[in-house]
Amino acid sequence: MNSPLADRLRPKTLDEVFGQKQLLAPGTVFRRNIEAGRVPNMVFYGPPGVGKTTVARIIAENSGMRLHKLNGTSASTADIRTVIGEIGTLMGHGGILLYLDEIQYLNKKQQQSLLECIEDGSITLIASTTENPYFYVYTALLSRCTVFEFKHLSPEDIKEALARAQAILEQEEGCGISIEPAALDLMATACGGDVRKSVGSLELLAGAAQPEDGVRRITLEMAQQVAQRSSMNYDRDADNHYDTISALQKSIRGSDPDAAIHYLARLMEAGDLLSACRRLLVIAAEDVGLAYPQAIPIVKACVDSALQLGLPEAQLPLADAVVLLATAPKSNSAHNAIIAAREDLRRGRSGQVPRQLQNKHYDGADAKVKGQRYLYPHDYPDHWVAQQYLPDELVGTVYYEFGPNKTEQAAKAYWDRIKGRG
């Protein structure tokens, strides 16, 4: 009874696992291989509390192989050597299965030490991680494994888990538990798809409810106290951080102010003010750009205000910036121009700065043409005169194309008229 309710609830078979039907439903490739006794090297990837560890344990405990469990947060190189040392011994006669939780915490050398054993089949690996394995797992090790993604659980899946957890509590305590429908809905949604979190909330609420006529009643008000901020699955150094930042920019780029405000709200709830400020400055230049150049100083002013105010008031100028950017006309013409120019430089296309643009006023003895011969545009009508600015090797190269928006088309019309006279 001292173990958490989530552990007491942990499924013993694949049929008891909540959610993950894309992997565990009868007839799926994953399920058929496991039931046939074929356990490949696998990496389970997904958010916390969605069944990765549970499924791995079920497979491992029914594999018939010698099972070793290690956790990347605490496993040492010596621990890995101990597992490898059983290869070829009586203990490892039926095969060795290594279940490695949180593999992303093993360093590259530790992960490399498993390569040969996995390659020749002397060790079967089941690893799990909450981080994107393509970023955090050593490439050579990952190429020898199949990655299976575990999804956030739906509120319906969570309610199923809560119903089973409620039955366990009632049986253990000999006391009924009544949950208001609105409280149940909140518990199923506020956990962010994390079974462990939702069951932990139920255990806490049931313990706090005073029995009345042999029943513990959980109200919406009680659930609200536990559910505060509990739906936030966010880590400033993990995938959820980068996914949220990416979603914010793509929503603004797609001119959807409602989605953009939603992702800003996530950042504000997580207290990640600096990431929001930095990304909004990028968006103003990259995605709105020259279609509405005033967006850049306006967003800068909003960011400065936010940083001076701090949270929670910082959300107000940032919300102004988000809505402004999302509803503004869009242009990435300057973004494309600088990317193209840098790509040319990386390909070796540069050349010497033309003589008339150089910051010197004398010529060497070997100069064929003496004099800088720079034409000062302000001395000419409309402050423009035809003159070579690109290096000889790049003459005629076009990096910037006027965008189709009103602002850039007005500039194009102006320069077409001025330069057309030259």
Side-chain angles (χ1 to χ4, degrees):
M1 286 284 290
N2 290 329
S3 64
L5 177 58
D7 283 344
R8 308 200 299 276
L9 179 67
R10 193 180 293 277
K12 302 296 190 296
T13 67
L14 294 179
D15 288 325
E16 295 177 353
V17 176
F18 307 106
Q20 310 308 334
K21 303 303 182 187
Q22 78 282 0
L23 297 177
L24 304 180
T28 60
V29 172
F30 180 91
R31 180 71 176 259
R32 286 158 67 180
N33 272 277
I34 299 305
E35 290 178 340
R38 293 186 293 268
V39 183
N41 296 307
M42 297 180 286
V43 174
F44 294 166
Y45 158 52
V50 296
K52 300 186 303 299
T53 300
T54 296
V55 172
R57 285 181 175 175
I58 291 171
I59 294 171
E61 290 170 357
N62 291 278
S63 66
M65 292 185 277
R66 167 79 167 171
L67 174 63
H68 285 275
K69 301 177 184 178
L70 296 178
N71 189 295
T73 60
S74 57
S76 65
T77 302
D79 294 326
I80 297 174
R81 287 180 185 150
T82 299
V83 176
I84 295 174
E86 290 192 2
I87 297 173
T89 67
L90 287 175
M91 289 185 294
H93 177 70
I96 297 174
L97 192 151
L98 172 60
Y99 169 51
L100 184 51
D101 199 10
E102 303 291 359
I103 188 175
Q104 73 272 16
Y105 290 109
L106 292 186
N107 60 41
K108 183 177 179 179
K109 186 175 180 180
Q110 289 174 316
Q111 293 186 39
Q112 284 176 323
S113 66
L114 294 168
L115 281 176
E116 184 177 350
C117 307
I118 292 174
E119 183 73 45
D120 63 21
S122 52
I123 288 181
T124 299
L125 174 68
I126 299 180
S128 66
T129 174
T130 56
E131 308 293 350
N132 190 328
Y134 297 101
F135 295 156
Y136 291 92
V137 179
Y138 181 50
T139 304
L141 182 62
L142 194 62
S143 69
R144 292 159 173 79
C145 300
T146 302
V147 177
F148 293 99
E149 183 176 2
F150 283 62
K151 308 287 188 180
H152 281 289
L153 272 65
S154 68
E156 290 70 28
D157 294 327
I158 298 295
K159 286 182 179 180
E160 181 183 342
L162 288 172
R164 198 182 301 177
Q166 179 181 351
I168 291 175
L169 283 177
E170 289 177 333
Q171 181 179 10
E172 290 176 347
E173 299 186 9
C175 178
I177 297 175
S178 172
I179 307 174
E180 288 184 2
L184 181 62
D185 289 340
L186 179 61
M187 293 165 63
T189 55
C191 64
D194 186 330
V195 169
R196 188 165 47 239
K197 188 179 293 186
S198 69
V199 171
S201 296
L202 174 61
E203 185 173 26
L204 183 64
L205 291 167
Q210 295 298 321
E212 296 179 10
D213 300 326
V215 176
R216 297 179 184 270
R217 291 179 171 78
I218 297 175
T219 65
L220 175 60
E221 182 182 359
M222 294 171 63
Q224 287 172 333
Q225 295 177 38
V226 174
Q228 291 177 7
R229 299 177 62 88
S230 65
S231 64
M232 290 298 300
N233 284 316
Y234 190 89
D235 188 322
R236 296 191 191 190
D237 296 319
D239 289 343
N240 274 307
H241 163 77
Y242 297 106
D243 287 345
T244 303
I245 290 294
S246 175
L248 172 66
Q249 180 161 9
K250 289 172 180 173
S251 297
I252 291 176
R253 183 183 296 153
S255 302
D256 188 330
D258 298 306
I261 282 289
H262 169 77
Y263 294 115
L264 174 66
R266 288 194 182 194
L267 293 169
M268 296 299 95
E269 280 295 299
D272 198 352
L273 177 59
L274 292 180
S275 292
C277 289
R278 180 181 180 279
R279 187 50 61 109
L280 290 174
L281 291 171
V282 171
I283 295 168
E286 179 181 348
D287 294 305
V288 174
L290 299 177
Y292 181 46
Q294 296 91 333
I296 296 175
I298 293 173
V299 170
K300 176 62 164 61
C302 290
V303 165
D304 289 345
S305 297
L307 293 175
Q308 186 172 7
L309 289 169
L311 289 169
E313 291 85 355
Q315 66 185 331
L316 301 176
L318 292 188
D320 288 340
V322 163
V323 173
L324 173 73
L325 292 173
T327 56
K330 306 296 188 294
S331 173
N332 66 341
S333 56
H335 164 271
N336 292 343
I338 187 62
I339 295 299
R342 295 190 69 178
E343 286 177 352
D344 263 359
L345 290 173
R346 295 185 185 111
R347 289 195 294 263
R349 298 190 67 204
S350 56
Q352 187 177 15
V353 175
R355 175 67 185 90
Q356 64 270 22
L357 303 185
Q358 294 175 6
N359 187 33
K360 63 182 180 181
H361 306 287
Y362 63 90
D363 296 291
D366 59 342
K368 295 179 180 179
V369 179
K370 303 293 185 180
Q372 187 170 21
R373 303 180 186 276
Y374 171 61
L375 303 179
Y376 188 58
H378 297 301
D379 289 341
Y380 294 84
D382 298 311
H383 302 266
W384 181 82
V385 61
Q387 185 170 210
Q388 179 183 331
Y389 291 95
L390 278 169
D392 292 341
E393 293 85 345
L394 294 173
V395 170
T397 301
V398 176
Y399 293 122
Y400 172 69
E401 298 281 357
F402 288 95
N405 57 84
K406 183 172 72 172
T407 302
E408 288 181 87
Q409 284 301 302
K412 181 180 185 300
Y414 171 79
W415 285 113
D416 283 347
R417 177 171 58 83
I418 297 300
K419 295 182 180 182
R421 298 173 185 169

